Amino acid sequence: MRYVMALMMLTGPAYGIDLGVCHGEFALCAASSTTPTGKTMQVNGKTFREGMAVCPILKGISIADLSLMNGSCKAAQGKVWSLFSTVTSYPQAPTWAVTPMTVTKFVTTKESGMSNMWSFSCDKQAKKINGVSLASCYGPINESPWNGDYVPVGTESFSAAPAGALNPVGGNFPIK
C-alpha cells in the first residue's frame, strides 16, 4: 500500500493521470529492456520512438493510468495492459524464473534511454517459456511516466531491469 500511496503522491498533480485499480491479468514490465521498433507513436500529442518489451503476465491487483486506457481496465481480446504492481518477486528474463526485484539507478545516454510501458497495450504471446505467459508490450522510449514529457540524455532514471539493459523500462528523476 505504501507504494501505491507514493505513486499517487508522485503523479497526483501530473499531466492528467487518472489512477485506477485493476484486477486480473496484466503485464509487469518493470524488469524488462526495450527494443526500438523503428516506428513512432503519439502520446498525449507528442511523438516518441516506439519500443517493444517482453514482459511476464501476472494476475492480481495492479495500478493503471486510465487516461491512457480509454478509461477501462478491460483489455481487448488477445491483449493485456502493462501496469504497475507492488509485487516484489516475479518472473524475469532471460530464464523467466521468479526473482526478487532489484531497483537500480542509471543515467540515460544517446545509445540507451529509458522506456515507459505503464498503461500501454500488450499482445499476449502464444508460447509460454518455463511455464510463464509473456506479452509483447509497446510503449514510448524516453517519455516520462510522471508528466508525459521527453526524457533528455543525461537524466538520472531508475529501473528493475538488469544493469546495462538497453532502454530499460522505468522512470526518471527528478520528477518535475
Side-chain angles (χ1 to χ4, degrees):
M1 187 57 149
R2 66 184 163 149
Y3 299 111
V4 173
M5 294 304 292
L7 182 66
M8 293 170 93
M9 290 186 329
L10 292 172
T11 61
Y15 69 106
I17 291 176
D18 181 13
L19 286 179
V21 176
C22 298
H23 302 269
E25 285 189 325
F26 65 96
L28 181 61
C29 295
S32 297
S33 61
T34 303
T35 303
T37 65
K39 300 177 183 178
T40 59
M41 63 185 300
Q42 292 280 319
V43 182
N44 294 319
K46 295 181 180 179
T47 302
F48 296 90
R49 289 185 309 143
E50 180 186 73
M52 190 277 294
V54 177
C55 311
I57 297 174
L58 306 180
K59 291 180 183 174
I61 297 172
S62 54
I63 306 299
D65 176 356
L66 296 173
S67 69
L68 295 172
M69 301 166 46
N70 302 315
S72 174
C73 294
K74 185 168 174 57
Q77 182 76 20
K79 297 186 178 286
V80 292
W81 294 108
S82 173
L83 303 176
F84 173 78
S85 174
T86 60
V87 299
T88 57
S89 293
Y90 47 88
Q92 298 177 38
T95 64
W96 300 106
V98 174
T99 307
M101 173 181 65
T102 303
V103 177
T104 59
K105 287 186 193 179
F106 66 96
V107 176
T108 60
T109 66
K110 191 174 185 179
E111 294 76 31
S112 181
M114 48 101 16
S115 65
N116 176 19
M117 295 291 159
W118 185 41
S119 300
F120 289 97
S121 185
C122 308
D123 298 324
K124 291 182 178 182
Q125 293 184 1
K127 183 180 174 189
K128 289 183 179 184
I129 297 181
N130 290 335
V132 177
S133 296
L134 301 173
S136 299
C137 299
Y138 299 88
I141 295 176
N142 291 328
E143 185 250 359
S144 172
W146 318 122
N147 62 12
D149 211 351
Y150 299 100
V151 175
V153 169
T155 300
E156 188 175 56
S157 302
F158 66 92
S159 176
L166 291 178
N167 303 304
V169 175
N172 56 299
F173 289 117
I175 300 167
K176 296 179 181 178

